[in-house]
DNA sequence: TAGATTGTTAATCGATTAACAATC
DNA sequence: TAGATTGTTAATCGATTAACAATC
C-alpha cells in the first residue's frame, strides 16, 4: 500500500506551514503559491510541494493553495482539529513559564489540562487558574483528563520516574526539557529540548576563538 | 586543504558527548570506548568515531578515549574552554526562567552577563543578582560586556529589532525563542526554539486520532 | 489559448551505517 | 602475540534539489 512512513523532518515543518496559512487566512488572503510559502517559511517551494504530496494533492495547478482549506487539512493531519490535552510536570521556573505561555497563548489547538509537582509547598498553588496537583497521583490524573501529551520540566533525577508515570497514565508523546535520555517503549514518542546543549553548540559558531587544527569554523 | 566545513548535525552532538565525558571523568572513569559512549548517548559508535574524526584522531586503538583529555578537546572545539558571555533579552515568564536556569546551573561554560527588557517597570529589578537593564541601550551594553551569544525571549513584534540591536552589539549567534524568522546577515548564526511548534508536531504522533488518507501515523 | 503553478519523477547531495585495515 | 578498538574507506540510505509533464 501507499502507506509509507512520513519522515519526522516533514512532520516538523507542517506546523510552520500551518502557522503561516492561518496568518494569511486571517489577513484575508484566500490563495497562496508554494513560492510565497517558501518566502515566508524559508523552505524551498519544491520541498513544500513535496511535503504536502506525502498526504495527497491539496493544490490547484496554475493557481496555488486555498489558505483556509489547506490549513484545515494540515490541522487534521497533525491531529490538531481537536484540542490536544497536555499535562505539565514540574512547576519550577521553567515549568511555570511554560504553563503561563501555554495558557496565555490560545488558538494553537493545545490545551493544558493538568499541572503537577512533587513539592507539597507547590501543590495547591494556582498558575493562571490551574491548580498544581500532587505528582503522586500523576498516572491516575493523566488518565482521568485524557492527556496524550506530557511535558517534563523536572530536574534530571526525577525525569525517568515522571516519564514512566506519564506513560502509565496514557501519555503517548513527551516533550522533555530535562537533560536525561528517557527510556520509553516503542509506543511513546519523545522529543528533547535541552537549552544548555543548544547554547553550548552555538558557542562553536562564535568566531573570535582560537583555530582548532581542523581549521576555522564557518558561520551561516 | 583539509578544512572542510563540519556539518551542523555533528556540532550539535558534541555537547552531548562533552556532558557524558564530564560525568564519567567526575566518576573517576579514565578511559571510555565509543561503544560505551554509544550506550550513553544513543548515537551509534561508528557515528561517534566519525564525529571525532572531523577534528583529528583523539583515541587510542585497542583502548579507547581518555575521558578528561577528550572532554578538554571538545571544550576547545566548541569554544567552551573560555567562559562564553551571553545576554538575554526579554525578562518575561520564559526569559526569567531561562535566566534563573543559567545562573542556577553553573559549570556549563556559559556565563550570563546581561539581562534586558524594554518595560520600564522591569528595568532595575534583579533576577538572581543580575539587574535588568533597559533594552534601549542594548547594542552598547552588549558591546561593553563582550557578549557573543544573544538569547531572544521577547514577543514576536519586538524580535527582529532586538536581533538587529544584538548584532550591532557584536553578538554573533542567537538563540531565538520567538516565533519569528529573524533576518540576519551571513555572519550571524541563528538557532530557533519554538515550543509551540514542537508541541504541535508532537500531536502527529498521538495515535488515537482519525486516520488520514495517507494511512495511520507511526509511533516510535 | 497562454501563463502559471502544481505534482511527480529523476538527479544530486549529504549523512549514516557497514566493513575492515591499522595499531595499541 | 592475541584481543580490542580506533580511524577510514566504501556502501547504503534518505532527504533535498532540479526538471518537467500535467493541468488549471
Amino acid at each position: 500500500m501507499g502507506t509509507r512512513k512520513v519522515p519526522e523532518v516533514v512532520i516538523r515543518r507542517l506546523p510552520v506551514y500551518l502557522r503561516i496559512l492561518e496568518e494569511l487566512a486571517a489577513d484575508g488572503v484566500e490563495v497562496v503559491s508554494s513560492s510565497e510559502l517558501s518566502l515566508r517559511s524559508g523552505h524551498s517551494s519544491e520541498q513544500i510541494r513535496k511535503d504536502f504530496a506525502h498526504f495527497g494533492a491539496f493544490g490547484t495547478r496554475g493557481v496555488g493553495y486555498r489558505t483556509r482549506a489547506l490549513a484545515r487539512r494540515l490541522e487534521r493531519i497533525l491531529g490538531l482539529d481537536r484540542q490536544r490535552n497536555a499535562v505539565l510536570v514540574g512547576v519550577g521556573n521553567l515549568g511555570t513559564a511554560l504553563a503561563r505561555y501555554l495558557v496565555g497563548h490560545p488558538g494553537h489547538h493545545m490545551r493544558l489540562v493538568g499541572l503537577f509537582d512533587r513539592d507539597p509547598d507547590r501543590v495547591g498553588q494556582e498558575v493562571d487558574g490551574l491548580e498544581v496537583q500532587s505528582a503522586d497521583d500523576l498516572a491516575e490524573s493523566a488518565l482521568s483528563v485524557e492527556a496524550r501529551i506530557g511535558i517534563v520540566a523536572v530536574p534530571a533525577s526525577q525525569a525517568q520516574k515522571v516519564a514512566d508515570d506519564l506513560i502509565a497514565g496514557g501519555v503517548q508523546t513527551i516533550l522533555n526539557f530535562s537533560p536525561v535520555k528517557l527510556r520509553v517503549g516503542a509506543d511513546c514518542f519523545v522529543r528533547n529540548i535541552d537549552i544548555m546543549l543548544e547554547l553550548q553548540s552555538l558557542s562553536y559558531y562564535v568566531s573570535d576563538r582560537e583555530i582548532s587544527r581542523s581549521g576555522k569554523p564557518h558561520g551561516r
Side-chain angles (χ1 to χ4, degrees), chain A:
Chain A
M1 271 192 281
T3 312
R4 292 240 6 304
K5 192 183 183 317
V6 180
E8 187 182 349
V9 285
V10 174
I11 299 303
R12 294 193 65 172
R13 285 192 290 263
L14 298 187
V16 178
Y17 306 145
L18 176 57
R19 177 185 286 167
I20 294 168
L21 289 164
E22 285 174 339
E23 283 168 7
L24 288 169
D27 288 352
V29 178
E30 300 206 337
V31 174
V32 66
S33 67
S34 58
S35 51
E36 174 65 26
L37 287 175
S38 170
L39 243 50
R40 297 188 180 242
S41 68
H43 304 295
S44 74
S45 62
E46 303 92 316
Q47 186 165 70
I48 293 170
R49 295 200 298 277
K50 205 144 204 286
D51 284 350
F52 295 161
H54 278 104
F55 306 96
F58 298 166
T60 309
R61 293 173 194 227
V63 178
Y65 302 91
R66 297 193 56 83
T67 51
R68 226 169 269 278
L70 181 52
R72 272 197 226 102
R73 286 289 234 130
L74 294 182
E75 276 178 22
R76 200 174 146 81
I77 289 165
L78 287 164
L80 295 169
D81 49 336
R82 62 197 70 177
Q83 290 281 337
R84 280 290 168 207
N85 291 344
V87 292
L88 189 154
V89 192
V91 192
N93 290 318
L94 185 60
T96 305
L98 292 172
R100 291 218 171 101
Y101 180 70
L102 289 173
V103 174
H105 293 72
H108 294 270
H109 318 98
M110 304 291 313
R111 183 167 48 182
L112 187 60
V113 295
L115 232 47
F116 298 87
D117 203 291
R118 69 161 193 185
D119 182 347
D121 290 345
R122 284 187 188 140
V123 174
Q125 287 187 351
E126 275 200 7
V127 177
D128 283 356
L130 258 176
E131 188 178 326
V132 178
Q133 300 171 255
S134 168
D136 296 342
D137 320 318
L138 182 50
E140 306 92 82
S141 303
L143 264 181
S144 71
V145 293
E146 294 188 323
R148 292 287 173 273
I149 297 176
I151 304 170
V152 174
V154 299
S157 57
Q158 302 162 44
Q160 184 60 55
K161 159 79 170 135
V162 164
D164 294 342
D165 289 347
L166 284 171
I167 292 167
V171 161
Q172 295 171 335
T173 69
I174 291 176
L175 188 58
N176 176 33
F177 286 88
S178 84
V180 170
K181 194 161 77 80
L182 298 176
R183 304 266 167 192
V184 300
D187 53 346
C188 181
F189 186 92
V190 177
R191 172 109 20 94
N192 299 296
I193 296 183
D194 194 317
I195 291 158
M196 205 60 88
L197 293 186
E198 299 288 346
L199 281 170
Q200 290 186 335
S201 69
L202 278 182
S203 170
Y204 178 82
Y205 297 97
V206 176
S207 61
D208 65 351
R209 64 196 174 66
E210 280 165 41
I211 278 68
S212 70
R213 67 180 286 283
S214 72
K216 67 175 197 296
H218 301 257
R220 264 277 184 93

